[in-house]
Amino acid sequence: MGIKFILLVNKQGQTRLSQYYEHKDVQQRCEDEAEIIRKCLARNENQCSFMEYRNFKLVFRRYASLFFIVGIDAGDNELSILEFIHMAVETLDQFFEGVCELDIMFNLE
């Protein structure tokens, strides 16, 4: 059980940060990321913020121009992951004193 990956993506579909917690080869990662990003960006604000994808769930939330996408096991609690995303955004906002996409691209170590 747990988080499989975390993606931070802008509105144009460009990945700004990716962290995987299970091994996948680079080619498979790129293919999966492209399909996941397309599915998440295609949903509107009135639709649910989580969906099933292959053998896991995607939980995502948009903050300003960034989408935070988290892949989790099928049995995990989606609402707890939404809360995790919110906590991560608040932490980044405090650390950078008003986080933006450029902070994540160039100042995250």
Side-chain angles (χ1 to χ4, degrees):
M1 286 183 59
I3 296 175
K4 295 180 176 284
F5 60 84
I6 299 173
L7 302 173
L8 272 63
V9 180
N10 68 8
K11 289 191 290 188
Q12 289 78 32
Q14 300 166 320
T15 302
R16 295 305 185 195
L17 177 76
S18 64
Q19 179 67 47
Y20 287 84
Y21 300 101
E22 291 183 351
H23 175 72
K24 276 190 178 181
D25 62 34
V26 176
Q27 181 66 28
Q28 186 64 42
R29 279 186 188 185
C30 291
E31 291 171 7
D32 286 349
E33 273 185 33
E35 189 174 349
I36 288 167
I37 291 168
R38 266 194 310 275
K39 286 181 180 265
C40 290
L41 293 181
R43 296 176 73 93
N44 64 35
E45 292 179 11
N46 297 329
Q47 291 179 303
C48 186
S49 292
F50 31 89
M51 68 178 109
E52 291 187 13
Y53 175 78
R54 297 191 182 172
N55 59 344
F56 54 90
K57 291 181 188 174
L58 299 174
V59 180
F60 63 96
R61 185 154 182 193
R62 179 179 169 198
Y63 283 92
S65 64
L66 286 176
F67 284 84
F68 288 72
I69 304 169
V70 180
I72 60 173
D73 289 325
D76 288 348
N77 186 336
E78 300 93 350
L79 296 177
S80 67
I81 300 300
L82 282 174
E83 188 63 31
F84 165 76
I85 293 170
H86 184 71
M87 182 195 64
V89 169
E90 285 185 355
T91 303
L92 288 170
D93 197 44
Q94 286 181 352
F95 183 78
F96 289 112
E97 298 175 359
V99 68
C100 68
E101 183 177 342
L102 295 175
D103 290 325
I104 291 171
M105 287 174 52
F106 298 115
N107 296 326
L108 220 77
E109 287 130 16

